[in-house]
Amino acid sequence: MAHAKLPFFVTGGIMLSGKKIVLGITGGIAAYKCAALVRLLVKEGAEVKVIMTPSARDFVTPQTLSVLSKNQVYTDFFDNNLVWNNHVQLSEWANLLLIAPLTANTLAKMVSGQCDNLLLATYLSARSSIVVAPAMDLEMYRHPSVSANLKRLSDSGVHIVPAETGELASGLSGEGRMAEPENILKFIKDYILDKAPLKGKKALVNAGPTYEPIDQVRFIGNRSSGKMGVAIAEALAQQGAEVTLVLGPSHLKVKHRQIQVIPVETAEEMHTEMLHRYAQANIVVCSAAVADYAPEKAEKGKIKKGNPELNLKLLKTKDILQELGQKKQSQFLVGFALETDNLLKNAREKLERKNCDLIVANETNAENQAFHAENNQVIFVLPNNNTIDLGFKSKTEIAEELVQLIIQKRTQKK
Ligand code: CTP
């Protein structure tokens, strides 16, 4: 999903000065605390527009929130004068969508993509950062379906302010209370503003195999699953980057909302998409297993097996990474090296020849390491003969460490 919004970070002066926040309030007792939350946000300099779900009105009045936010409060798709409240305009307006309190009901609807009120419609069309503050009773908060739903929301890139422990509306005491308004504000400042080192940066990643057609039904491909590249795209997005993932044929589902997927099939298509986006990118990672050779031409229809022999003429494809290296300006360029022998020697040679800032080297004959595996064994190869041996790790861990290293090296480069 594209992320055309302005980055949501500090510009100096009052912390939230000039920032536009849509606060979604759902029907839980903690909704009464939203009056204080709106006051805090406005005091910090934010412009706040409130959307309430129908049941939120049982807990706090729209009038109170309208006075405190100094804005109209939205509760329905149509206001009293039957004017349509355009949810797309509301989501486009916002730098941040904050949903507090988040009830189990709205959580489940968000996860399953339901859209029976204005807040859900705004959520589904939002492209800004999203923060939610769940509030539930003890057993509800602990329920496996609620935990699973929170995990799915978090996997899709939504930030979750953990519920707090204390006295609950039911009279029970335990985890489930909505975080206090001061803590929600702190969370927004800490996690959304300060702790996203790649906020406002554009990352371009390629991943997966390429398929080179022989005829209408056959192709030359390879065993790459794309898992490593998708994990890298997710780790970059998790650090705030706006990511474009040019993905060869793959069954993987990319869930993070800050990743735009461009599906491609052939090396030529991957080349076109990568080159087209390269100038705007700050960080580029080429993890795709691009075919080195492709049939000179794809036959129309299906080749019949009449002949005892079939000769295919293969021509070398364009080396995408090498071309990007030649055109490199301020981009931080990462390549991969897949080797069966002389891992370090070949990886260093690729670092030089393709003008990369870093090469992720991996050996294909290492035990337990296969294209479809969850784990891999890699070495980061850097200029000046520097290497970092990561040993055997999950692809997610490798991706996270790679992104941390990219952040560190980019800072040193400046
Ligand atoms: N690569 C590319 N375009 C190609 C071939 C490879 O962009 N046509 C990139 C890969 O995405 C990877 C790097 O180049 O980041 C190295 O790929 P690898 O297969 O290890 O090496 P090759 O350059 O193809 O050379 P060789 O097969 O001879 O080792």
Side-chain angles (χ1 to χ4, degrees), residues 6 40 89 124 138 150-151 156 188 251 334 364 397 403:
L6 287 172
L40 273 181
Q89 263 172 17
L124 288 178
L138 183 62
L150 281 171
K151 168 137 193 350
S156 73
I188 292 171
H251 296 298
V334 180
T364 51
E397 283 172 312
V403 170

Side-chain angles (χ1 to χ4, degrees), residues 34 88 92 96 126 156 189-190 215 220 340 342 367 401 405:
C34 287
V88 178
E92 282 287 314
L96 174 76
S156 73
K189 287 177 180 172
D190 289 355
D215 64 13
I220 297 175
T340 46
N342 296 324
E367 258 182 49
E401 296 207 20
L405 188 61

Side-chain angles (χ1 to χ4, degrees), residues 2-8 20 88-96 126-129 200 202 242:
H3 233 251
K5 302 239 63 96
L6 287 172
F8 188 77
K20 295 170 179 155
V88 178
Q89 263 172 17
L90 276 167
S91 55
E92 282 287 314
W93 174 85
N95 300 123
L96 174 76
R127 296 198 293 164
S128 61
S129 300
K202 285 189 195 306
E242 194 182 306

Side-chain angles (χ1 to χ4, degrees), residues 186-201:
K186 186 171 179 326
F187 183 96
I188 292 171
K189 287 177 180 172
D190 289 355
Y191 288 86
I192 310 303
L193 308 181
D194 295 344
K195 291 197 179 158
L198 297 180
K199 202 88 203 170
K201 298 284 171 271

Side-chain angles (χ1 to χ4, degrees), residues 249-267:
S250 165
H251 296 298
L252 296 178
K253 295 268 173 294
V254 180
K255 290 172 282 179
H256 201 292
R257 46 197 309 289
Q258 254 167 248
I259 303 175
Q260 182 193 15
V261 180
I262 312 286
V264 294
E265 196 163 296
T266 62

Side-chain angles (χ1 to χ4, degrees), residues 125-362:
S125 40
R127 296 198 293 164
S128 61
S129 300
I130 302 177
V131 174
V132 299
M136 276 159 238
D137 209 67
L138 183 62
E139 297 306 333
M140 270 172 104
Y141 192 63
R142 280 191 196 150
H143 196 280
S145 10
V146 169
S147 309
N149 282 345
L150 281 171
K151 168 137 193 350
R152 282 181 65 188
L153 209 59
S154 163
D155 286 347
S156 73
V158 172
H159 301 269
I160 296 170
V161 193
E164 294 178 0
T165 303
E167 204 178 299
L168 299 162
S170 61
L172 295 172
S173 184
E175 205 182 4
R177 276 166 69 108
M178 185 180 86
E180 290 301 324
E182 295 75 17
N183 295 340
I184 295 178
L185 181 68
K186 186 171 179 326
F187 183 96
I188 292 171
K189 287 177 180 172
D190 289 355
Y191 288 86
I192 310 303
L193 308 181
D194 295 344
K195 291 197 179 158
L198 297 180
K199 202 88 203 170
K201 298 284 171 271
K202 285 189 195 306
L204 178 62
V205 180
N206 69 12
T210 62
Y211 286 178
E212 311 303 329
I214 296 171
D215 64 13
Q216 209 175 307
V217 292
R218 304 179 180 95
F219 59 83
I220 297 175
N222 60 65
R223 295 183 199 282
S224 166
S225 64
K227 274 185 192 159
M228 191 66 246
V230 170
I232 292 168
E234 283 173 348
L236 286 162
Q238 214 52 47
Q239 295 302 326
E242 194 182 306
V243 184
T244 304
L245 175 64
V246 179
L247 183 61
S250 165
H251 296 298
L252 296 178
K253 295 268 173 294
V254 180
K255 290 172 282 179
H256 201 292
R257 46 197 309 289
Q258 254 167 248
I259 303 175
Q260 182 193 15
V261 180
I262 312 286
V264 294
E265 196 163 296
T266 62
E268 185 60 36
E269 286 167 12
M270 191 171 270
H271 174 269
T272 306
E273 296 298 341
M274 291 296 286
L275 268 285
H276 176 57
R277 291 171 166 79
Y278 187 55
Q280 285 80 41
N282 306 103
I283 297 165
V284 180
V285 182
C286 291
S287 70
V290 187
D292 289 328
Y293 294 89
E296 186 179 27
K297 64 178 174 68
E299 295 296 335
K300 286 204 184 88
K302 183 182 163 217
I303 301 172
K304 301 298 281 178
K305 63 174 177 194
N307 290 331
E309 269 184 22
L310 175 69
N311 290 312
L312 284 177
K313 183 170 176 191
L314 303 180
L315 298 180
K316 212 168 187 173
T317 57
K318 294 171 188 154
D319 192 317
I320 304 169
L321 180 62
Q322 189 148 343
E323 255 184 70
L324 299 183
Q326 280 159 5
K327 291 186 193 317
K328 190 164 84 171
Q329 290 183 325
S330 60
Q331 293 91 346
F332 191 93
L333 184 59
V334 180
F336 271 65
L338 184 65
E339 308 294 341
T340 46
D341 307 287
N342 296 324
L343 179 65
L344 279 182
K345 183 173 165 286
N346 286 331
R348 286 203 180 101
E349 184 273 323
K350 276 178 195 165
L351 182 82
E352 282 280 312
R353 179 164 50 90
K354 303 201 183 192
N355 195 21
C356 294
D357 297 289
L358 198 167
I359 286 276
V360 181
N362 62 152

